[in-house]
Amino acid sequence: MLSSPPPMSLSARRIRPWGAYLVMLLLSACSSQPAVEQVPVLEETFAKKTYDRNSWIINPTKLPEAKFLFEDEGLRLQIPVKSNSKEPAEVKSRFKLTGDFDTSLEYTIRSLPTTPEESCRLEIGLYGTAGSAAFRRSQLKGVPGYSLWYQPSGEDAKTFYRFQPLDVAVEGRWKLHVVRTGDQIRFTVQSFPDQEPWEVATLTYPGVVNSAQFRIFGKPQKDPVDVLFHKIRVSGEDLWFGQTASTPTTTGWSTPVIVGITLLLGAGAGGVVIWRRRGQE
């Protein structure tokens, strides 16, 4: 004769229905709440007088006479008087950009050549499959202004250039801002702390951006090119480091957040549901 199963304790009778209910509740929540993927963001302020070498390249040998000075307010770039090189002093990305992106440079000008014989510029540069583009604060033969320069890829492509003079007596902190949505780039500038941004130019620029550069150029004869970079900021759908799209290990985080623990008390099994969220420090 088959023996009867042992009687179920009162505590087991009470817990088993709640375990089943918890399973159903968590499965429903997970199916309706997809994982949150935040857009990767890199911000470089040169804090502690250093920078993230996994994200940026500073190559002092490209323009040996240039100076890169780490100060409390950021990175100071200088091209001294009598420099005759066409090379820039720059901070260059180690990553590529695809899709929509948003990049900006906050700066203060300490000194720019102002004579009619001299020209110089600071800029955000992009190099990619669509060609080379530069979004600039220019000093064109002594005339201050903002400009867009674009050399499309292709042997017969024509260079596009636009310059807007700027009547500025004293400059403080400004921002160059370049945003791509779809294939369209919008270039705006803004002074701090309260001026509304105004548009300099728009540009059709599709495809992969192999590198972004934040740099200064010039061949100063009387006054040096002297600019303080307060902050560089880049965000985008994909930041490619090497061959794989990813966020940098030094500035990103990926933290498992425990949504719930399901105890299958009747079967003596357990399960953990993990919701992974990616963000930035």
Side-chain angles (χ1 to χ4, degrees), residues 187-208:
F187 172 35
T188 63
V189 297
Q190 179 184 9
S191 72
F192 285 82
D194 55 1
Q195 186 188 53
E196 291 294 323
W198 54 278
E199 184 176 294
V200 178
T202 58
L203 176 67
T204 301
Y205 190 92
V208 176

Side-chain angles (χ1 to χ4, degrees), residues 36-49:
V36 175
E37 292 289 335
Q38 296 183 353
V39 174
V41 177
L42 293 177
E43 285 192 353
E44 184 57 70
T45 60
F46 308 97
K48 299 181 180 179
K49 298 184 179 181

Side-chain angles (χ1 to χ4, degrees), residues 101-139:
F101 61 80
D102 184 318
T103 183
S104 62
L105 169 63
E106 295 178 21
Y107 66 91
T108 296
I109 292 175
R110 299 288 181 85
S111 172
L112 288 181
T114 57
T115 67
E117 295 79 21
E118 297 173 283
S119 296
C120 62
R121 60 189 186 270
L122 70 97
E123 66 185 30
I124 298 175
L126 302 177
Y127 172 73
T129 55
S132 298
F135 309 88
R136 300 168 169 170
R137 162 64 172 90
S138 300
Q139 196 79 13

Side-chain angles (χ1 to χ4, degrees), residues 204-217:
T204 301
Y205 190 92
V208 176
V209 176
N210 294 317
S211 66
Q213 308 99 29
F214 304 83
R215 57 197 182 188
I216 58 174
F217 287 86

Side-chain angles (χ1 to χ4, degrees), residues 22-34:
L22 183 58
V23 173
M24 296 177 61
L25 181 63
L26 289 174
L27 289 176
S28 175
C30 291
S31 63
S32 60
Q33 297 290 335

